[in-house]
Amino acid sequence: MSTYSWNCRGLGTPWATQFLKESVLQKQPKFIFLSETLCKSDIVEKVRVVLKYEGALAVDSQGHTGGLALFWRNNSDLRVLSYSKNHIDVMVDIQGWHTYRMTCLYGEPDRTRRRETWDLIRMLNNQVNLPWVLIGDFNNILSQEDKKGGRLYPSWLIQGFQRTLEDCDLNNLELNGYKYTWERGRDTTEMIEVRLDRAVASHSFLHIFTEVKLINLGISTSDHSPIYLEPIHQSSRNFIKRFKFENAWLREPMCKEIVRDVWRDQSDKSFYDKIGTCSEVLSRWGEEFTGSFKKRIRECKTVMQSLKGRRDADSKRLYSHNSKELTEIYSQQEVFWRQRCKQLWLREGDQNSKFFYASTKARRKINHIDVLFDKNDCMTGWENGL
């Protein structure tokens, strides 16, 4: 039921395929939608085999632009309704779930042709009467708050997109995680961030799937970050929150100090009590540390902007200090989102990942010896002398 959507900006590159493979290994989505694949159907078919999905539909790129691909895990779960260079429309019918309609959308990148995307949404709205969700790169925003940096977004584009969703009775889904999904000019004063990727749903869809989560997965090999749509069963509300160590904490000296202080203060406690107390303290501190990336980045940039152009030694020293701190925050933020994607998990030391444990268990199973042949070529097991 879960859907992974990503503007990959070229599927034929080894790093894009590897990143997709690692993301899919972690999230295990039922469906994967890729836009701007910049390739033909033969490349899409090779990726399908690598991902071990049963079905795939490819819309070939036109020259060096465009291209769509949709992968599904089981052929029985999906029926294709229509497709074009800007959309793939399917009916999803999974046993135990309500039947619904999903449209994977790639909005016209040319602003002068954006009305074609709006007309496409209106046309699709009149075709099949099912609970409906649309997901993908809409290449449009709903308000100026969806954009950071650069000039203001043209108001006629915002209003046109808003009217389209109103006419089709579609609701914008809240994005969990980082607010923006596309960036340009990172680590420069001209950096621009925009939320171009999103999901919208009809009232009937939200009535059936009362809890639906849309997550920005953060890190990516493209200038777009992937988004992940997951309707949540009612029964999954009650869960036990477990402590998880953040790799980004290792880049902050305070983390080591916290562990040392807890260990010293709890010297008369058992090992397990120390671990429990340490996890509680780290959780409280880490929630503020990893949840304030945006605030810390804004503060550094504000200071640097105020010092820009000053020539005295103190200003230069303070500017340099904030510049280094900004670089470190970006580095911490990247590690934070990499851990969630489990990308480069071993390099970052993520030895608590499910992938690590799955690999270890598989290796143990392969290496396990049940029987051996003795010197008389008789089969010997653990019960009879091995």
Side-chain angles (χ1 to χ4, degrees):
M1 168 63 219
S2 52
T3 303
Y4 177 100
S5 174
W6 182 37
N7 183 326
C8 59
R9 295 300 300 272
L11 185 58
T13 58
W15 50 88
T17 304
Q18 181 62 25
F19 172 78
L20 181 62
K21 184 179 178 181
E22 291 171 354
S23 298
V24 170
L25 182 67
Q26 166 64 17
K27 288 299 181 182
Q28 297 291 322
K30 281 276 189 182
F31 310 105
I32 303 170
F33 171 59
L34 304 176
S35 56
E36 283 201 82
T37 57
L38 310 181
C39 67
K40 303 297 182 182
S41 56
D42 57 332
I43 301 295
V44 173
E45 176 60 20
K46 289 179 182 178
V47 174
R48 182 195 68 79
V49 173
V50 169
L51 298 178
K52 299 179 181 178
Y53 275 52
E54 281 190 9
L57 172 65
V59 179
D60 290 349
S61 61
Q62 299 177 340
H64 297 289
T65 60
L68 308 178
L70 178 65
F71 304 88
W72 52 91
R73 195 171 285 281
N74 301 307
N75 284 325
S76 59
D77 293 343
L78 177 146
R79 181 163 68 89
V80 177
L81 301 175
S82 65
Y83 60 89
S84 70
K85 67 182 180 70
N86 292 106
H87 88 287
I88 298 177
D89 192 29
V90 299
M91 183 176 73
V92 179
D93 187 9
I94 301 176
Q95 188 174 4
W97 289 75
H98 288 274
T99 301
Y100 69 95
R101 179 185 178 199
M102 179 173 69
T103 300
C104 302
L105 192 74
Y106 174 56
E108 275 290 343
D110 184 354
R111 290 183 175 180
T112 61
R113 301 178 58 187
R114 198 65 50 77
R115 286 189 175 87
E116 295 178 18
T117 300
W118 305 336
D119 292 341
L120 173 63
I121 295 173
R122 288 189 174 94
M123 181 194 72
L124 292 170
N125 180 54
N126 296 323
Q127 289 184 349
V128 181
N129 188 21
L130 280 173
W132 191 25
V133 62
L134 297 87
I135 186 170
D137 175 10
F138 284 69
N139 266 318
N140 217 134
I141 66 175
L142 282 170
S143 71
Q144 296 293 350
E145 293 182 354
D146 287 343
K147 184 175 186 289
K148 179 182 177 182
R151 299 178 180 176
L152 290 176
Y153 207 79
S155 57
W156 69 272
L157 288 173
I158 295 176
Q159 293 166 4
F161 189 27
Q162 289 174 342
R163 280 195 298 270
T164 301
L165 298 188
E166 290 171 4
D167 293 346
C168 299
D169 242 2
L170 294 170
N171 303 274
N172 182 56
L173 299 185
E174 180 184 354
L175 184 65
N176 293 271
Y178 195 57
K179 184 177 180 180
Y180 308 104
T181 63
W182 176 87
E183 66 177 22
R184 185 179 68 191
R186 185 174 183 177
D187 296 333
T188 68
T189 55
E190 284 81 33
M191 182 176 179
I192 298 175
E193 296 177 286
V194 190
R195 183 188 173 184
L196 297 178
D197 305 84
R198 67 180 67 245
V200 298
S202 65
H203 290 289
S204 56
F205 181 91
L206 296 176
H207 179 72
I208 294 171
F209 302 108
T210 53
E211 292 192 35
V212 59
K213 205 167 189 179
L214 182 66
I215 306 169
N216 182 356
L217 296 182
I219 202 71
S220 169
T221 57
S222 163
D223 53 1
H224 286 258
S225 54
I227 57 175
Y228 182 73
L229 178 70
E230 183 180 21
I232 303 171
H233 276 298
Q234 195 79 6
S235 59
S236 66
R237 279 183 177 179
N238 300 322
F239 65 94
I240 299 174
K241 186 176 181 180
R242 294 183 298 171
F243 171 74
K244 292 184 179 180
F245 188 86
E246 296 287 354
N247 292 337
W249 296 347
L250 294 172
R251 296 175 180 262
E252 179 60 36
M254 183 59 70
C255 176
K256 191 174 181 179
E257 294 295 326
I258 290 173
V259 175
R260 184 186 293 115
D261 291 345
V262 169
W263 230 250
R264 185 180 60 248
D265 296 342
Q266 302 282 322
S267 57
D268 58 333
K269 303 290 185 179
S270 69
F271 176 78
Y272 293 105
D273 289 337
K274 292 178 182 177
I275 290 290
T277 305
C278 196
S279 64
E280 290 175 7
V281 176
L282 281 174
S283 294
R284 289 195 297 269
W285 167 78
E287 187 175 348
E288 181 179 348
F289 172 73
T290 54
S292 61
F293 288 130
K294 184 177 178 182
K295 178 183 176 183
R296 292 160 63 199
I297 290 171
R298 184 170 61 247
E299 288 174 351
C300 283
K301 286 185 174 180
T302 302
V303 173
M304 292 171 66
Q305 189 66 32
S306 65
L307 296 172
K308 200 171 182 181
R310 296 188 185 180
R311 300 180 179 274
D312 58 283
D314 289 340
S315 296
K316 289 182 178 179
R317 185 165 53 253
L318 189 57
Y319 186 93
S320 176
H321 172 76
N322 277 269
S323 178
K324 290 178 181 178
E325 185 176 352
L326 183 62
T327 302
E328 178 60 25
I329 296 171
Y330 274 130
S331 181
Q332 293 168 355
Q333 187 180 40
E334 185 170 344
V335 172
F336 177 82
W337 288 112
R338 275 191 185 183
Q339 184 172 352
R340 273 140 185 77
C341 296
K342 293 299 184 285
Q343 186 188 29
L344 304 177
W345 59 273
L346 185 57
R347 183 182 301 177
E348 296 295 346
D350 183 9
Q351 298 186 13
N352 291 318
S353 70
K354 292 181 182 179
F355 178 71
F356 175 79
Y357 280 115
S359 301
T360 303
K361 288 172 68 177
R363 185 169 63 250
R364 285 178 180 171
K365 187 175 181 181
I366 293 170
N367 293 341
H368 181 70
I369 296 173
D370 291 311
V371 295
L372 288 175
F373 289 96
D374 62 16
K375 60 183 178 181
N376 298 319
D377 285 340
C378 295
M379 190 177 292
T380 306
W382 294 106
E383 297 81 12
N384 57 351
L386 181 61

